[in-house]
Amino acid sequence: MDVMADPLPHPERDEIRIDAVLHALADPVRLQIVRALAELGTGVACGAIELPVTKSTRTHHLRTLREAGVIRVRPEGTTRITTLRRADMDALYPGLLDGILAAPR
């Protein structure tokens, strides 16, 4: 069985909660991931963003962001492509991502 063919669970837009989003965005590494995805504006392979953490820690951070509804991760071949759920965030919490992304680093 191809593990990569199994879609990862993501909350639907109406299931995304502000407390989970704020918790996910409060971590500097996760914020770095979100900033990179926003700057790229397109989906990237999970390992394409340079992070100062181990692979297992990266996986943890991506899972936290995915479960909060901030990102979407989809299988593509033998890799996973990560995208920012910008439309969902903007629809639910207008200005939140813009304010966070504009904050000094």
Side-chain angles (χ1 to χ4, degrees):
M1 182 171 148
D2 183 8
V3 175
M4 295 301 275
D6 293 336
L8 295 170
H10 295 81
E12 295 297 325
R13 181 184 281 186
D14 64 349
E15 298 172 328
I16 297 173
R17 300 289 172 248
I18 190 67
D19 56 331
V21 170
L22 292 175
H23 169 75
L25 295 174
D27 183 272
V29 172
R30 292 193 288 267
L31 187 53
Q32 183 178 348
I33 293 168
V34 170
R35 281 186 168 137
L37 290 171
E39 288 172 11
L40 292 168
T42 184
V44 297
C46 61
I49 299 170
E50 197 66 36
L51 296 173
V53 296
T54 64
K55 184 177 179 181
S56 64
T57 301
R58 173 191 302 268
T59 300
H60 163 75
H61 287 303
L62 290 170
R63 179 179 179 185
T64 300
L65 287 166
R66 178 179 50 79
E67 289 177 348
V70 178
I71 63 170
R72 182 167 303 281
V73 181
R74 64 179 165 76
E76 189 172 286
T78 59
T79 191
R80 292 180 185 218
I81 303 298
T82 303
T83 54
L84 185 60
R85 291 180 69 175
R86 184 74 189 234
D88 290 337
M89 292 291 102
D90 289 346
L92 291 168
Y93 311 113
L96 176 68
L97 274 183
D98 289 335
I100 287 171
L101 294 171
R105 294 177 188 230

